[in-house]
Amino acid sequence: MHLILVINAGSSSIKCALMAIDAQGLVKECARGQVDGIGHEAEFSMRFADGHKDIKEAMPTGVKMSHKEALSVILKSVDDTFGLSALIGAGHRIVHGGPNFVKPTKLDSASIAELRKLIPLAPLHQPHNLAAVESLRELLPELPQIACFDTAFHATIPDIARNFALPKALIEKGIKRYGFHGISYHYIAEAFAHNDPERARSRVIVAHLGNGASLCGMINRQSVATTMGFSALDGLMMGTRTGSIDPAVIFYLMREEKMTPDAVEKLLYNQSGLLGVSGLSNDIRTLRKAAAESADARLALSMFTYRVIREISSIAAALNGLDALIFTAGIGENDPQLRAEVIKGLSHLGLTLNESANSKRDYQISSSTHPAAFVIPTNEEAMIARATLSILPDC
Ligand code: AMP
């Protein structure tokens, strides 16, 4: 059996998936797990696709687990279940590839050093992504490791959509829109092309609506516009992030509220969005339940929906029309009310809802066929495994 270990390392958790490669070179998920609570008292869980007992165990109390220790726990379970010799490579989700890393890349000392230079562009994610890479190199030095970048899919965005209206010297220093969720968009672009090759060549908007949320406008499977920008803070309102906000609010908070840059950053990333507006939760399921009693929950939900409708309309203008809208990620795949309200809000583009298809979460959820709306579950782990497999022969 040949396995690829897919790693998505954050500040307090490492998510992993084990993808088996079959004789045709296709990837099939055989386990998915995570260590939560890194830096604190951690917990490890792993679910297997078949035949093996699921694992859920708390790490010894009082132990503050590092990324390296968390990876050791994951590797031990791989070893116990399949044997470490089954591993042929590891694929990492790396949030930022900067302007130069636009394809899956082998992680060696030189590329890791270049990726370290990008930490200022993604200080909340890149260091943790790279900590996992370096820990895995120490634990399994011979295992080829591959980086897949959340920014890479957006390398095709033209300057008109990429650049800020800043002096050229600053743009040349890399202060421009990069876009994120690119691994998910790449997966959806391939899945849609597989289902509907003709339409995938036309004007498509993918709405990746999860705890982090963004949109991507594509023509012929290539990204031409996206709502996230220099950081993953821009664009849509999210679970705990503001999305786009008048930058003058930030100067005001610093001058008048005496907030430090770190405090403003925490406010905009962690304390705003659905959570901040509702005062209750970043989870849309909790807000739906609370909506009957809580005006703040209703406002948070309506603002989220309103922003999605406005931004889809804006990207449709950039594409000069719309042929397909695709919903994906936690909210996009699972919240029929959000999808229904968004489609109704886009009647000006010619979209009409098929109520029953939407409530059953069929593949096509619009009664209009041009444009049409679809739901496609994303699978970033499968995309990373495929990308890893594609460059393993060169490693
Ligand atoms: P993601 O970041 O893609 O994992 O999405 C996480 C978000 O998706 C959660 O915070 C919820 O708001 C939403 N979500 C997940 N499962 C469901 C569900 N079954 N119904 C409605 N919303 C869901």
Side-chain angles (χ1 to χ4, degrees):
M1 180 182 233
H2 285 161
L3 293 173
I4 289 177
L5 176 63
V6 176
I7 303 278
N8 180 1
S11 59
S12 65
S13 73
I14 296 185
K15 296 190 175 121
C16 67
L18 272 175
M19 311 297 275
I21 316 303
D22 72 11
Q24 285 77 43
L26 297 174
V27 300
K28 184 166 170 277
E29 183 173 320
C30 53
R32 193 176 274 247
Q34 60 192 74
V35 178
D36 285 313
I38 291 175
H40 303 279
E41 288 170 8
E43 187 180 77
F44 171 58
S45 59
M46 188 90 127
R47 294 186 74 84
F48 295 92
D50 46 43
H52 301 284
K53 205 165 151 282
D54 291 347
I55 302 169
K56 189 168 179 68
E57 56 192 44
M59 299 297 114
T61 49
V63 176
K64 287 197 173 176
M65 188 168 261
S66 66
H67 279 84
K68 188 171 173 187
E69 287 159 335
L71 278 167
S72 305
V73 171
I74 292 170
L75 291 180
K76 178 168 182 320
S77 100
V78 176
D79 198 21
D80 292 346
T81 322
F82 303 101
L84 278 181
S85 59
L87 281 183
I88 57 168
H92 291 260
R93 177 182 188 172
I94 304 285
V95 72
H96 220 302
N100 299 326
F101 290 95
V102 297
K103 289 205 156 57
T105 300
K106 184 180 178 193
L107 286 157
D108 54 21
S109 302
S111 60
I112 294 171
E114 285 304 306
L115 292 171
R116 285 214 153 278
K117 293 184 192 159
L118 301 175
I119 286 177
L121 294 177
L124 304 182
H125 296 99
Q126 195 89 339
H128 308 296
N129 300 160
L130 295 177
V133 173
E134 292 188 318
S135 300
L136 193 55
R137 282 185 104 203
E138 287 168 29
L139 292 164
L140 290 179
E142 303 301 323
L143 186 73
Q145 296 197 64
I146 310 300
C148 298
F149 303 99
D150 258 327
T151 47
F153 186 72
H154 301 295
T156 45
I157 291 181
D159 285 349
I160 191 172
R162 179 179 295 287
N163 288 3
F164 298 116
L166 283 168
K168 193 173 171 186
L170 290 172
I171 305 292
E172 284 168 354
K173 284 187 171 174
I175 303 176
K176 49 186 161 180
R177 289 192 184 85
Y178 291 95
F180 298 87
H181 289 142
I183 297 167
S184 173
Y185 290 129
H186 196 176
Y187 177 86
I188 299 290
E190 290 197 353
F192 192 49
H194 179 80
N195 295 344
D196 194 342
E198 179 75 15
R199 213 190 285 262
R201 280 192 280 277
S202 60
R203 299 160 299 183
V204 176
I205 297 179
V206 182
H208 177 111
L209 307 176
N211 200 32
S214 71
L215 305 172
C216 178
M218 301 178 195
I219 294 178
N220 200 13
R221 297 159 64 180
Q222 299 208 320
S223 174
V224 293
T226 191
T227 53
M228 281 181 170
F230 178 69
S231 73
L233 192 55
D234 203 7
L236 300 175
M237 174 176 166
M238 306 181 214
T240 61
R241 291 173 238 170
T242 49
S244 305
I245 184 168
D246 182 340
V249 172
I250 296 166
F251 317 140
Y252 182 90
L253 291 172
M254 292 171 73
R255 287 202 195 102
E256 302 301 320
E257 296 290 322
K258 310 290 179 225
M259 289 177 77
T260 62
D262 283 355
V264 176
E265 188 171 58
K266 194 168 173 201
L267 172 76
L268 301 188
Y269 272 99
N270 304 120
Q271 299 167 338
S272 300
L274 291 171
L275 173 68
V277 176
S278 70
L280 285 174
S281 175
N282 62 324
D283 193 315
I284 216 158
R285 289 166 289 192
T286 310
L287 299 183
R288 292 266 179 239
K289 283 193 199 121
E293 281 89 47
S294 164
D296 291 337
R298 288 197 294 280
L299 180 63
L301 290 164
S302 321
M303 281 174 65
F304 183 85
T305 311
Y306 171 81
R307 294 272 292 269
V308 172
I309 293 168
R310 269 190 71 164
E311 293 288 328
I312 290 176
S313 304
S314 160
I315 293 199
L319 300 180
N320 196 22
L322 178 69
D323 299 298
L325 171 64
I326 301 170
F327 291 90
T328 195
I331 299 172
E333 292 167 28
N334 295 304
D335 189 334
Q337 188 173 340
L338 179 279
R339 294 194 301 260
E341 288 171 8
V342 168
I343 290 175
K344 286 177 186 164
L346 293 170
S347 58
H348 66 99
L349 294 174
L351 271 172
T352 52
L353 180 69
N354 179 334
E355 299 265 3
S356 93
N358 182 47
S359 57
K360 287 186 286 169
R361 203 188 85 177
D362 286 350
Y363 169 59
Q364 181 170 335
I365 56 168
S366 61
S367 45
S368 55
T369 52
H370 196 99
F374 305 90
V375 182
I376 302 181
T378 192
N379 191 339
E380 289 159 298
E381 293 75 15
M383 194 67 233
I384 293 172
R386 276 189 224 152
T388 300
L389 192 60
S390 73
I391 67 159
L392 271 185
D394 307 326
C395 292

